[in-house]
Structures are given as structure tokens and as C-alpha cells.
Amino acid sequence: MPIVVTLDVMLARRKMRSRELAERVGITEANLSLLKSGKVRGVRFETLSAICQALDCQPGDLLTWVPGPEPEDGGEGHGD
């Protein structure tokens, strides 16, 4: 996937554990783990906003676009 999640990097920079972030944001540690690993299809803006507030960062600090092949799932996600 060409979008890389760098949430673990920001957590390290802020010296915060996943458990603490999950509590502040109001999501489970399991869902946060899935987000960190990039194994989610999407994230709600409300959740992204809460993460940015908790980590005092911008969305671009957490998500990076890397050129590469698109997934072969029929282009799902385009045109939303």
C-alpha cells in the first residue's frame, strides 16, 4: 500500500506508550495496533484528530505517501 503509517515513530518522539494514547483517544489498544501496522482500510477523521491532539502533531506526521503499485482490489477506495 502506498500510504505508510508512521504512528510508532511519533509515539517514540513523544515518549508515549500505545496504551496511554489509546486511553486518551478512546480506542482499544488492539485497534491502535492495527492502525500502527497499517492493516486498516481507513481511519475516521475524528480519530485522526484525537490522535493528533494527543501527540501534538499534524496528520502528515503520521501518514506518508510512498509511490508504488496500487492494491489489486478493483480500485476500492477511489472516488469516496
Side-chain angles (χ1 to χ4, degrees), residues 40-67:
V40 294
R41 288 196 167 276
V43 61
R44 293 175 187 241
F45 282 166
E46 180 180 344
T47 303
L48 183 59
S49 178
I51 291 171
C52 287
Q53 182 177 9
L55 293 175
D56 189 28
C57 68
Q58 295 293 315
D61 296 327
L62 305 173
L63 305 170
T64 305
W65 179 76
V66 178

Side-chain angles (χ1 to χ4, degrees), residues 1 3 5 30-42:
M1 176 189 299
I3 300 294
V5 180
N31 283 340
L32 186 61
S33 178
L34 288 171
L35 180 58
K36 283 174 40 179
S37 68
K39 293 183 180 179
V40 294
R41 288 196 167 276

Side-chain angles (χ1 to χ4, degrees), residues 3-22:
I3 300 294
V4 177
V5 180
T6 55
L7 179 56
D8 54 345
V9 174
M10 190 55 63
L11 280 166
R13 286 182 183 165
R14 298 297 190 251
K15 296 182 171 103
M16 186 182 296
R17 295 192 179 270
S18 294
R19 168 175 268 162
E20 181 182 351
L21 180 61

